[in-house]
Amino acid sequence: LVPRAARCVTFGIKSDGADLTIEAASLEETADSISAAVIDNRAREVFPLVLPMPGRHNLSNALAAIAAASAAGIEVRRAVLA
């Protein structure tokens, strides 16, 4: 991904200034899943994300993967759906 990366994409669950972050009010956890709204602050778009596994660490990992995909030129919308 590094050779294809257009630029550094910042991310974080509680990072208001990051390129990609999570809408705090949208965060929902159950015993077997976690869901939240991913905010692309660059495009000012919001995308729902549902992971079939619990834990904020999994949400953070998913956000990292979405940021890496975005840096490689994949649209955030497409990365969230993958």
Side-chain angles (χ1 to χ4, degrees), residues 2 17 19-20 23 28-29 31-32 39-40 55 61 72 78:
V2 174
D19 295 326
L20 300 176
E23 184 178 295
E28 292 184 26
E29 290 184 81
D32 57 358
I39 302 171
D40 182 349
N61 291 342
R78 221 172 124 212

Side-chain angles (χ1 to χ4, degrees), residues 13 29 34 51 53-64:
I13 291 179
E29 290 184 81
I34 188 165
L51 300 176
M53 61 203 71
R56 291 183 187 212
H57 62 289
N58 288 316
L59 182 61
S60 183
N61 291 342
L63 197 57

Side-chain angles (χ1 to χ4, degrees), residues 7-62:
R7 68 178 208 92
C8 177
V9 178
T10 59
F11 67 94
I13 291 179
K14 294 182 181 181
S15 302
D16 291 336
D19 295 326
L20 300 176
T21 190
I22 298 297
E23 184 178 295
S26 71
L27 187 62
E28 292 184 26
E29 290 184 81
T30 67
D32 57 358
S33 70
I34 188 165
S35 63
V38 175
I39 302 171
D40 182 349
N41 288 309
R42 300 163 301 171
R44 297 189 177 156
E45 294 180 306
V46 180
F47 307 99
L49 175 67
V50 178
L51 300 176
M53 61 203 71
R56 291 183 187 212
H57 62 289
N58 288 316
L59 182 61
S60 183
N61 291 342

